[in-house]
């Protein structure tokens, strides 16, 4: 089977194959329900669409992983981090799963789950890309939040606000059972990160972004330049010879389009802008992995669950666009 996309992938040896990992994990934050997202996305027909309409040969174990067997009986706070043992164990397992799919030359789609899972997904992809191609990977982080707090700068202690810090060595921990398993070949360079859609950034995070010269496009930039120009600048910063991991938090979208998420912030992207970001990344031919996170069907479901349905539909649309669906 061949995909319907007209774009030739630059960094995939098996472009018609798609690795899929479904992660029903909510331990990186405090609101239950985000663990139900992968099942909701799959039940809405996403994987069927990717296979039947876009032509992907799916490599999926037909399981939504909850990783309950990895949950410790006792998980006290460490350095302000909440549930550090659980999040570390789950992301380590997820890293191994994503790596095993990515090292075969496939694109990997991960359906979360809260955004703490990106510690595992990005680490697994980065390791596979370095091993397979001998090069660094870029990370495009589409989100209302920067998620680059260190344990010390975080007000909440929720690890879903810290993944980028751990993936860049801005945050480190020696304990192997608390992210000490992260190796140098799993890291992303601060020069290869681009944020899009920021509008709720903590004081400590602003300082981190400025001091490290991290490329970030806020909603102010999108209002000023338009999403087309912002994507030109974002992809220009990365360059056309770098594999891209796209990590998309559905709360990047305005709550009008995606109300069912844990930390909604008004003034966000329209659904079309979100789709356009995904389309542009696909058109580079450099995409090697996609995360979709923070859909929570139990929050703001609305009358007849319309809010939940709209958020799931929005998530599915973004994934399809990233994997080659086009308007014409």
């Amino acid at each position: 089977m061949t995909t319907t996309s007209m774009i030739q992938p630059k960094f995939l040896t098996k472009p018609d194959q798609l690795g899929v990992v479904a992660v029903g994990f909510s331990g990186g934050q405090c609101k239950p329900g985000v663990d139900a997202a992968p099942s909701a996305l799959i039940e809405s027909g996403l994987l069927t669409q990717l296979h039947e309409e876009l032509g992907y040969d799916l490599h999926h174990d037909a399981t939504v992983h909850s990783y309950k067997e990895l949950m410790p009986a006792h998980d006290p706070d460490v350095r302000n981090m909440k549930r550090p043992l659980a999040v570390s164990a789950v992301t380590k397992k997820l890293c191994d799963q994503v790596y095993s799919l990515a090292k075969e030359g496939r694109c990997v789609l991960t359906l979360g789950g809260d955004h703490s899972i990106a510690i595992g997904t990005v680490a697994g992809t980065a390791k596979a890309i370095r091993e397979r191609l001998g090069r660094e990977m870029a990370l495009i982080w589409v989100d209302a939040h920067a998620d680059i707090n260190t344990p010390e700068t975080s007000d909440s202690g929720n690890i879903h606000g810290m993944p980028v810090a751990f993936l860049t060595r801005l945050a480190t921990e020696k304990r192997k059972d608390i992210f000490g398993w992260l190796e140098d070949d799993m890291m992303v360079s601060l020069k290869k990160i681009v944020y899009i859609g920021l509008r709720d950034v903590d004081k400590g995070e602003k300082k981190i972004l400025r001091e490290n010269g991290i490329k970030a496009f806020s909603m102010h930039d999108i209002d000023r330049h338009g999403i087309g120009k912002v994507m030109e600048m974002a992809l220009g910063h990365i360059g056309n010879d770098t594999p891209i991991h796209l990590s998309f938090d559905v709360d990047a979208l305005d709550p009008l389009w995606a109300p069912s998420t844990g930390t909604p912030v008004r003034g966000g992207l329209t659904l079309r802008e979100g789709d356009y970001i995904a389309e542009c990344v696909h058109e580079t031919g450099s995409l090697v992995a996609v995360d979709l996170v923070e859909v929570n069907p139990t929050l703001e479901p609305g009358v007849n669950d319309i809010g939940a349905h709209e958020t799931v539909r929005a998530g599915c649309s973004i994934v399809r666009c990233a994997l080659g669906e086009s308007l014409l």
Side-chain angles (χ1 to χ4, degrees):
M1 179 178 280
T2 56
T3 68
T4 59
S5 174
M6 302 298 287
I7 304 298
Q8 184 63 37
K10 300 173 187 174
F11 304 111
L12 303 173
T13 56
K14 297 176 180 175
D16 300 337
Q17 298 183 16
L18 180 69
V20 179
V21 184
V23 189
F25 181 69
S26 60
Q29 46 86 65
C30 57
K31 295 180 181 177
V34 71
D35 46 306
S39 294
L41 292 161
I42 292 168
E43 287 166 9
S44 75
L46 176 59
L47 298 187
T48 302
Q49 293 160 8
L50 296 178
H51 175 64
E52 295 183 358
E53 297 175 20
L54 297 187
Y56 284 97
D57 177 12
L58 302 182
H59 290 255
H60 180 223
D61 58 10
T63 304
V64 175
H65 296 275
S66 66
Y67 305 107
K68 284 188 168 58
E69 72 280 4
L70 299 177
M71 297 300 106
H74 186 54
D75 199 354
D77 291 3
V78 175
R79 288 172 55 198
N80 186 41
M81 290 182 282
K82 294 177 180 174
R83 294 176 291 277
L85 294 174
V87 181
S88 179
V90 166
T91 52
K92 183 178 188 301
K93 178 71 172 178
L94 183 54
C95 173
D96 294 340
Q97 288 178 279
V98 170
Y99 166 76
S100 69
L101 293 165
K103 72 183 177 71
E104 300 298 327
R106 304 180 184 114
C107 185
V108 183
L109 167 66
T110 303
L111 303 175
D114 70 62
H115 220 162
S116 70
I117 69 166
I119 295 173
T121 63
V122 175
T125 311
K127 179 182 178 181
I129 291 298
R130 278 193 174 89
E131 182 180 292
R132 197 164 60 79
L133 300 173
R135 60 172 73 206
E136 282 189 320
M137 178 185 83
L139 175 61
I140 297 181
W141 197 271
V142 186
D143 202 320
H145 312 90
D147 295 346
I148 199 168
N149 270 305
T150 66
E152 289 70 31
T153 64
S154 172
D155 290 331
S156 70
N158 291 324
I159 298 175
H160 77 157
M162 307 179 196
V164 182
F166 278 104
L167 290 164
T168 56
R169 293 272 189 241
L170 290 172
T172 58
E173 173 57 53
K174 292 180 180 177
R175 283 180 57 175
K176 288 289 186 185
D177 58 349
I178 304 180
F179 307 116
W181 55 268
L182 286 163
E183 305 285 348
D184 288 344
D185 62 354
M186 302 172 182
M187 295 294 106
V188 179
S189 168
L190 291 167
K191 295 182 176 68
K192 293 290 186 181
I193 295 173
V194 177
Y195 284 102
I196 301 171
L198 296 181
R199 58 191 183 279
D200 185 12
V201 182
D202 295 342
K203 180 180 178 182
E205 292 181 304
K206 289 179 181 178
K207 187 169 183 284
I208 290 170
L209 293 174
R210 288 169 182 161
E211 288 181 349
N212 291 280
I214 297 169
K215 183 65 71 174
F217 297 96
S218 68
M219 288 307 302
H220 174 86
D221 298 305
I222 292 168
D223 292 338
R224 171 179 286 180
H225 300 292
I227 194 63
K229 181 63 176 177
V230 164
M231 288 310 297
E232 277 183 38
M233 293 188 287
L235 295 172
H237 176 77
I238 290 170
N240 60 12
D241 61 345
T242 304
I244 296 172
H245 185 124
L246 173 65
S247 198
F248 202 117
D249 187 326
V250 80
D251 75 21
L253 301 180
D254 191 90
L256 180 67
W257 303 100
S260 297
T261 187
T263 48
V265 187
R266 291 186 299 175
L269 299 166
T270 66
L271 177 57
R272 225 355 262 157
E273 287 171 332
D275 283 349
Y276 183 79
I277 292 167
E279 289 165 353
C280 285
V281 175
H282 176 78
E283 286 172 357
T284 65
S286 299
L287 184 68
V288 294
V290 187
D291 309 328
L292 179 72
V293 300
E294 298 286 359
V295 172
N296 189 330
T298 69
L299 297 176
E300 302 295 332
V303 178
N304 297 322
D305 289 338
I306 186 66
H309 290 313
E310 287 299 305
T311 307
V312 168
R313 284 180 60 195
C316 290
S317 181
I318 288 159
V319 169
R320 291 196 308 268
C321 289
L323 293 173
E325 181 176 82
S326 58
L327 295 178
L328 294 176

